[in-house]
Amino acid sequence: MLKRNLTVLFFLSFAVAPLASGFVYAGLYSFGVIGALSTGFTFNHWAALFEDQGFWSALALSMGVALFTLLLSLGLSLTLLLSLQRELEQRVNYFLLHLPLALSSLVAAFLSFQWLGNTGMLARWAIHLGLFEKSQDFPELINDAHYFGVIFTLTLLTFPIFTLLLLRFYQAENLSSLSQVAATLGASSKDIIFRVQLPALLRRITPTALLYFVFLFGAYEVPLLLGRQSPMMWSVYVSQKFKKFNLSDLPIAYSSTVLYTLFILLLVGWFWNKAAVSKAEQ
């Protein structure tokens, strides 16, 4: 019992306490209670944040990129697993799926820049094949208005993890045997996929998908290197507010940080409650 209490105390002291104190500091700063330009408690900084069009653009862009990347990665992983499940279990293919996991976000962004840029490898090959006359004719795949380079890179980092997890869940749920039983009972291939395999896999992958949505929503290195400055994703928007020489932007940056933290806490709390209700019903 004493060992357990000490473990909890250690975790609270070195993991929870710094985060909580940082959140409190950011909250006080956002309301003008503390800070270099503090004049007392005020809602003016929050009003300035909500009146900033760049904030709403960053929020919408981050939500869109995170959701689209998540669905694309999950769709690719499910398609790959259900189509090539036996091939994925082979040692070579299983090893190849681990290779993208060795890349950090910064390295992945750099590789995408080298391959997808107007002077990158794809552009050079296209010019060599006579598809384009000069590099300027090659379509913009990075720093583009549609954030193609950002989505491509984040998908490259995400879908291998989903594929490996789904493969493990496929084996843990013994879906091969269940599919054979369903086929014996007269189920079609479509019924086996949509009524046996997909429900089981989606139920197991949902918690991880939620965590990765949070990760994608707050991604920083990839949008910073491959995205545009206008519009920019939320993490880049907050970083720009912190780095500006205008001290009046600091409370707005802290307000954005508090809002982001509250959003994550509400999202996790909602899912936690939903999982508890689902477990109670079972």
Side-chain angles (χ1 to χ4, degrees):
M1 186 67 179
L2 178 60
K3 183 178 180 180
R4 179 180 179 184
N5 292 336
L6 290 176
T7 303
V8 173
L9 180 62
F10 180 84
F11 174 77
L12 293 176
S13 300
F14 292 93
V16 178
L19 296 176
S21 60
F23 178 75
V24 172
Y25 179 84
L28 294 176
Y29 209 121
S30 67
F31 286 109
V33 178
I34 59 177
L37 303 179
S38 174
T39 56
F41 186 86
T42 179
F43 287 103
N44 292 338
H45 306 311
W46 284 89
L49 174 66
F50 292 135
E51 291 173 359
D52 186 2
Q53 185 60 38
F55 161 74
W56 295 108
S57 299
L59 177 61
L61 179 62
S62 296
M63 292 284 288
V65 170
L67 185 60
F68 185 80
T69 303
L70 180 66
L71 294 177
L72 179 61
S73 301
L74 193 56
L76 287 174
S77 298
L78 286 170
T79 302
L80 190 64
L81 174 66
L82 298 179
S83 302
L84 303 171
Q85 183 261 328
R86 293 184 178 178
E87 287 77 3
L88 292 177
E89 292 179 342
Q90 297 178 4
R91 182 180 295 272
V92 175
N93 296 329
Y94 191 75
F95 172 78
L96 291 176
L97 281 174
H98 285 78
L99 290 180
L101 305 184
L103 300 177
S104 65
S105 299
L106 188 62
V107 173
F110 177 76
L111 290 176
S112 295
F113 185 86
Q114 293 296 322
W115 278 86
L116 303 179
N118 289 338
T119 58
M121 297 299 296
L122 289 181
R124 295 179 184 181
W125 288 346
I127 295 174
H128 180 73
L129 294 174
L131 300 178
F132 301 99
E133 294 183 0
K134 51 186 179 179
S135 60
Q136 288 78 6
D137 297 332
F138 191 76
E140 291 186 354
L141 299 180
I142 59 172
N143 305 123
D144 59 303
H146 299 94
Y147 270 66
F148 173 84
V150 174
I151 294 174
F152 173 82
T153 306
L154 292 177
T155 301
L156 177 65
L157 294 172
T158 304
F159 98 89
I161 299 178
F162 282 172
T163 304
L164 291 170
L165 286 175
L166 288 170
L167 179 60
R168 182 178 178 182
F169 296 153
Y170 191 96
Q171 297 168 344
E173 295 286 342
N174 200 15
L175 291 181
S176 296
S177 300
L178 292 177
S179 299
Q180 293 177 1
V181 172
T184 303
L185 296 175
S188 63
S189 300
K190 183 178 180 180
D191 291 333
I192 293 174
I193 293 175
F194 289 98
R195 295 190 178 185
V196 177
Q197 297 175 339
L198 277 181
L201 293 173
L202 290 176
R203 184 179 67 253
R204 295 290 299 271
I205 199 67
T206 298
T208 305
L210 175 65
L211 293 177
Y212 261 85
F213 175 82
V214 174
F215 162 75
L216 295 170
F217 184 84
Y220 176 70
E221 291 89 353
V222 175
L224 179 66
L225 296 177
L226 303 180
R228 288 191 169 188
Q229 292 298 310
S230 180
M232 63 183 73
M233 291 184 65
W234 196 349
S235 57
V236 181
Y237 169 84
V238 175
S239 175
Q240 293 295 331
K241 289 292 183 182
F242 274 114
K243 292 180 180 179
K244 285 185 177 180
F245 293 101
N246 187 2
L247 292 178
S248 61
D249 281 336
L250 281 179
I252 299 177
Y254 280 112
S255 300
S256 302
T257 304
V258 171
L259 191 62
Y260 174 77
T261 305
L262 291 176
F263 170 76
I264 298 303
L265 291 176
L266 288 174
L267 185 64
V268 173
W270 169 81
F271 179 79
W272 190 284
N273 181 67
K274 185 177 180 181
V277 172
S278 178
K279 186 176 181 180
E281 292 177 350
Q282 293 178 356

mmCIF file with all atom_site columns, all heavy atoms in Angstrom, residues 23 55 74 137 158 168 194 198 240 242 278:
data_model
loop_
_atom_site.group_PDB
_atom_site.id
_atom_site.type_symbol
_atom_site.label_atom_id
_atom_site.label_alt_id
_atom_site.label_comp_id
_atom_site.label_asym_id
_atom_site.label_entity_id
_atom_site.label_seq_id
_atom_site.pdbx_PDB_ins_code
_atom_site.Cartn_x
_atom_site.Cartn_y
_atom_site.Cartn_z
_atom_site.occupancy
_atom_site.B_iso_or_equiv
_atom_site.pdbx_formal_charge
_atom_site.auth_seq_id
_atom_site.auth_comp_id
_atom_site.auth_asym_id
_atom_site.auth_atom_id
_atom_site.pdbx_PDB_model_num
ATOM 1   N N   . PHE A 1 23  ? -0.797  25.224 -16.799 1.00 0.00 ? 23  PHE A N   1
ATOM 2   C CA  . PHE A 1 23  ? -2.150  25.593 -17.209 1.00 0.00 ? 23  PHE A CA  1
ATOM 3   C C   . PHE A 1 23  ? -2.676  26.761 -16.373 1.00 0.00 ? 23  PHE A C   1
ATOM 4   O O   . PHE A 1 23  ? -3.295  27.692 -16.905 1.00 0.00 ? 23  PHE A O   1
ATOM 5   C CB  . PHE A 1 23  ? -3.072  24.376 -17.071 1.00 0.00 ? 23  PHE A CB  1
ATOM 6   C CG  . PHE A 1 23  ? -4.504  24.653 -17.421 1.00 0.00 ? 23  PHE A CG  1
ATOM 7   C CD1 . PHE A 1 23  ? -4.896  24.801 -18.734 1.00 0.00 ? 23  PHE A CD1 1
ATOM 8   C CD2 . PHE A 1 23  ? -5.457  24.771 -16.427 1.00 0.00 ? 23  PHE A CD2 1
ATOM 9   C CE1 . PHE A 1 23  ? -6.217  25.062 -19.064 1.00 0.00 ? 23  PHE A CE1 1
ATOM 10  C CE2 . PHE A 1 23  ? -6.777  25.021 -16.737 1.00 0.00 ? 23  PHE A CE2 1
ATOM 11  C CZ  . PHE A 1 23  ? -7.160  25.172 -18.058 1.00 0.00 ? 23  PHE A CZ  1
ATOM 12  N N   . PHE A 1 55  ? -7.378  33.374 -35.965 1.00 0.00 ? 55  PHE A N   1
ATOM 13  C CA  . PHE A 1 55  ? -7.633  32.303 -35.003 1.00 0.00 ? 55  PHE A CA  1
ATOM 14  C C   . PHE A 1 55  ? -8.668  31.323 -35.547 1.00 0.00 ? 55  PHE A C   1
ATOM 15  O O   . PHE A 1 55  ? -8.481  30.101 -35.489 1.00 0.00 ? 55  PHE A O   1
ATOM 16  C CB  . PHE A 1 55  ? -8.101  32.904 -33.681 1.00 0.00 ? 55  PHE A CB  1
ATOM 17  C CG  . PHE A 1 55  ? -8.815  31.919 -32.784 1.00 0.00 ? 55  PHE A CG  1
ATOM 18  C CD1 . PHE A 1 55  ? -8.105  30.940 -32.112 1.00 0.00 ? 55  PHE A CD1 1
ATOM 19  C CD2 . PHE A 1 55  ? -10.198 31.958 -32.633 1.00 0.00 ? 55  PHE A CD2 1
ATOM 20  C CE1 . PHE A 1 55  ? -8.757  30.021 -31.295 1.00 0.00 ? 55  PHE A CE1 1
ATOM 21  C CE2 . PHE A 1 55  ? -10.850 31.057 -31.823 1.00 0.00 ? 55  PHE A CE2 1
ATOM 22  C CZ  . PHE A 1 55  ? -10.133 30.092 -31.153 1.00 0.00 ? 55  PHE A CZ  1
ATOM 23  N N   . LEU A 1 74  ? -6.794  5.878  -41.662 1.00 0.00 ? 74  LEU A N   1
ATOM 24  C CA  . LEU A 1 74  ? -7.586  4.738  -41.212 1.00 0.00 ? 74  LEU A CA  1
ATOM 25  C C   . LEU A 1 74  ? -8.149  3.968  -42.395 1.00 0.00 ? 74  LEU A C   1
ATOM 26  O O   . LEU A 1 74  ? -8.166  2.724  -42.402 1.00 0.00 ? 74  LEU A O   1
ATOM 27  C CB  . LEU A 1 74  ? -8.717  5.224  -40.307 1.00 0.00 ? 74  LEU A CB  1
ATOM 28  C CG  . LEU A 1 74  ? -9.477  4.166  -39.499 1.00 0.00 ? 74  LEU A CG  1
ATOM 29  C CD1 . LEU A 1 74  ? -8.521  3.357  -38.650 1.00 0.00 ? 74  LEU A CD1 1
ATOM 30  C CD2 . LEU A 1 74  ? -10.542 4.824  -38.634 1.00 0.00 ? 74  LEU A CD2 1
ATOM 31  N N   . ASP A 1 137 ? 6.786   24.691 -63.748 1.00 0.00 ? 137 ASP A N   1
ATOM 32  C CA  . ASP A 1 137 ? 5.552   24.121 -64.281 1.00 0.00 ? 137 ASP A CA  1
ATOM 33  C C   . ASP A 1 137 ? 5.034   22.965 -63.429 1.00 0.00 ? 137 ASP A C   1
ATOM 34  O O   . ASP A 1 137 ? 3.874   22.572 -63.564 1.00 0.00 ? 137 ASP A O   1
ATOM 35  C CB  . ASP A 1 137 ? 5.775   23.633 -65.716 1.00 0.00 ? 137 ASP A CB  1
ATOM 36  C CG  . ASP A 1 137 ? 6.130   24.776 -66.662 1.00 0.00 ? 137 ASP A CG  1
ATOM 37  O OD1 . ASP A 1 137 ? 5.703   25.917 -66.379 1.00 0.00 ? 137 ASP A OD1 1
ATOM 38  O OD2 . ASP A 1 137 ? 6.843   24.529 -67.651 1.00 0.00 ? 137 ASP A OD2 1
ATOM 39  N N   . THR A 1 158 ? 1.264   8.243  -39.977 1.00 0.00 ? 158 THR A N   1
ATOM 40  C CA  . THR A 1 158 ? 0.147   7.714  -39.190 1.00 0.00 ? 158 THR A CA  1
ATOM 41  C C   . THR A 1 158 ? -0.326  6.340  -39.645 1.00 0.00 ? 158 THR A C   1
ATOM 42  O O   . THR A 1 158 ? -0.529  5.446  -38.818 1.00 0.00 ? 158 THR A O   1
ATOM 43  C CB  . THR A 1 158 ? -1.043  8.693  -39.237 1.00 0.00 ? 158 THR A CB  1
ATOM 44  O OG1 . THR A 1 158 ? -0.622  9.987  -38.791 1.00 0.00 ? 158 THR A OG1 1
ATOM 45  C CG2 . THR A 1 158 ? -2.183  8.212  -38.363 1.00 0.00 ? 158 THR A CG2 1
ATOM 46  N N   . ARG A 1 168 ? -2.672  -6.480 -35.425 1.00 0.00 ? 168 ARG A N   1
ATOM 47  C CA  . ARG A 1 168 ? -2.636  -7.116 -34.107 1.00 0.00 ? 168 ARG A CA  1
ATOM 48  C C   . ARG A 1 168 ? -4.054  -7.376 -33.598 1.00 0.00 ? 168 ARG A C   1
ATOM 49  O O   . ARG A 1 168 ? -4.343  -8.443 -33.029 1.00 0.00 ? 168 ARG A O   1
ATOM 50  C CB  . ARG A 1 168 ? -1.874  -6.225 -33.137 1.00 0.00 ? 168 ARG A CB  1
ATOM 51  C CG  . ARG A 1 168 ? -1.741  -6.810 -31.741 1.00 0.00 ? 168 ARG A CG  1
ATOM 52  C CD  . ARG A 1 168 ? -0.941  -5.889 -30.852 1.00 0.00 ? 168 ARG A CD  1
ATOM 53  N NE  . ARG A 1 168 ? -0.837  -6.417 -29.499 1.00 0.00 ? 168 ARG A NE  1
ATOM 54  C CZ  . ARG A 1 168 ? -0.234  -5.803 -28.497 1.00 0.00 ? 168 ARG A CZ  1
ATOM 55  N NH1 . ARG A 1 168 ? 0.342   -4.626 -28.710 1.00 0.00 ? 168 ARG A NH1 1
ATOM 56  N NH2 . ARG A 1 168 ? -0.183  -6.346 -27.303 1.00 0.00 ? 168 ARG A NH2 1
ATOM 57  N N   . PHE A 1 194 ? -18.331 -6.039 -43.576 1.00 0.00 ? 194 PHE A N   1
ATOM 58  C CA  . PHE A 1 194 ? -19.054 -4.926 -42.939 1.00 0.00 ? 194 PHE A CA  1
ATOM 59  C C   . PHE A 1 194 ? -19.787 -5.322 -41.658 1.00 0.00 ? 194 PHE A C   1
ATOM 60  O O   . PHE A 1 194 ? -20.154 -4.447 -40.875 1.00 0.00 ? 194 PHE A O   1
ATOM 61  C CB  . PHE A 1 194 ? -20.052 -4.330 -43.935 1.00 0.00 ? 194 PHE A CB  1
ATOM 62  C CG  . PHE A 1 194 ? -19.404 -3.554 -45.045 1.00 0.00 ? 194 PHE A CG  1
ATOM 63  C CD1 . PHE A 1 194 ? -19.184 -4.143 -46.286 1.00 0.00 ? 194 PHE A CD1 1
ATOM 64  C CD2 . PHE A 1 194 ? -18.989 -2.252 -44.844 1.00 0.00 ? 194 PHE A CD2 1
ATOM 65  C CE1 . PHE A 1 194 ? -18.576 -3.430 -47.310 1.00 0.00 ? 194 PHE A CE1 1
ATOM 66  C CE2 . PHE A 1 194 ? -18.378 -1.539 -45.863 1.00 0.00 ? 194 PHE A CE2 1
ATOM 67  C CZ  . PHE A 1 194 ? -18.165 -2.125 -47.101 1.00 0.00 ? 194 PHE A CZ  1
ATOM 68  N N   . LEU A 1 198 ? -15.092 -5.267 -39.870 1.00 0.00 ? 198 LEU A N   1
ATOM 69  C CA  . LEU A 1 198 ? -15.015 -3.826 -39.623 1.00 0.00 ? 198 LEU A CA  1
ATOM 70  C C   . LEU A 1 198 ? -15.522 -3.415 -38.237 1.00 0.00 ? 198 LEU A C   1
ATOM 71  O O   . LEU A 1 198 ? -14.863 -2.614 -37.553 1.00 0.00 ? 198 LEU A O   1
ATOM 72  C CB  . LEU A 1 198 ? -15.769 -3.057 -40.719 1.00 0.00 ? 198 LEU A CB  1
ATOM 73  C CG  . LEU A 1 198 ? -15.013 -2.794 -42.019 1.00 0.00 ? 198 LEU A CG  1
ATOM 74  C CD1 . LEU A 1 198 ? -15.876 -2.016 -43.000 1.00 0.00 ? 198 LEU A CD1 1
ATOM 75  C CD2 . LEU A 1 198 ? -13.721 -2.038 -41.742 1.00 0.00 ? 198 LEU A CD2 1
ATOM 76  N N   . GLN A 1 240 ? 3.546   31.655 -33.476 1.00 0.00 ? 240 GLN A N   1
ATOM 77  C CA  . GLN A 1 240 ? 3.802   32.982 -34.022 1.00 0.00 ? 240 GLN A CA  1
ATOM 78  C C   . GLN A 1 240 ? 3.435   34.072 -33.025 1.00 0.00 ? 240 GLN A C   1
ATOM 79  O O   . GLN A 1 240 ? 4.120   35.094 -32.914 1.00 0.00 ? 240 GLN A O   1
ATOM 80  C CB  . GLN A 1 240 ? 3.022   33.168 -35.327 1.00 0.00 ? 240 GLN A CB  1
ATOM 81  C CG  . GLN A 1 240 ? 3.474   32.283 -36.472 1.00 0.00 ? 240 GLN A CG  1
ATOM 82  C CD  . GLN A 1 240 ? 4.887   32.595 -36.918 1.00 0.00 ? 240 GLN A CD  1
ATOM 83  O OE1 . GLN A 1 240 ? 5.353   33.713 -36.798 1.00 0.00 ? 240 GLN A OE1 1
ATOM 84  N NE2 . GLN A 1 240 ? 5.582   31.589 -37.432 1.00 0.00 ? 240 GLN A NE2 1
ATOM 85  N N   . PHE A 1 242 ? 3.579   33.810 -29.788 1.00 0.00 ? 242 PHE A N   1
ATOM 86  C CA  . PHE A 1 242 ? 4.596   33.814 -28.733 1.00 0.00 ? 242 PHE A CA  1
ATOM 87  C C   . PHE A 1 242 ? 5.897   34.457 -29.203 1.00 0.00 ? 242 PHE A C   1
ATOM 88  O O   . PHE A 1 242 ? 6.605   35.089 -28.408 1.00 0.00 ? 242 PHE A O   1
ATOM 89  C CB  . PHE A 1 242 ? 4.886   32.391 -28.264 1.00 0.00 ? 242 PHE A CB  1
ATOM 90  C CG  . PHE A 1 242 ? 3.963   31.899 -27.192 1.00 0.00 ? 242 PHE A CG  1
ATOM 91  C CD1 . PHE A 1 242 ? 3.091   30.847 -27.438 1.00 0.00 ? 242 PHE A CD1 1
ATOM 92  C CD2 . PHE A 1 242 ? 3.949   32.484 -25.940 1.00 0.00 ? 242 PHE A CD2 1
ATOM 93  C CE1 . PHE A 1 242 ? 2.230   30.385 -26.446 1.00 0.00 ? 242 PHE A CE1 1
ATOM 94  C CE2 . PHE A 1 242 ? 3.100   32.036 -24.943 1.00 0.00 ? 242 PHE A CE2 1
ATOM 95  C CZ  . PHE A 1 242 ? 2.229   30.991 -25.199 1.00 0.00 ? 242 PHE A CZ  1
ATOM 96  N N   . SER A 1 278 ? -20.449 2.506  -22.216 1.00 0.00 ? 278 SER A N   1
ATOM 97  C CA  . SER A 1 278 ? -20.451 1.308  -23.051 1.00 0.00 ? 278 SER A CA  1
ATOM 98  C C   . SER A 1 278 ? -20.048 0.071  -22.265 1.00 0.00 ? 278 SER A C   1
ATOM 99  O O   . SER A 1 278 ? -20.635 -1.003 -22.420 1.00 0.00 ? 278 SER A O   1
ATOM 100 C CB  . SER A 1 278 ? -19.501 1.517  -24.240 1.00 0.00 ? 278 SER A CB  1
ATOM 101 O OG  . SER A 1 278 ? -19.440 0.355  -25.035 1.00 0.00 ? 278 SER A OG  1
#
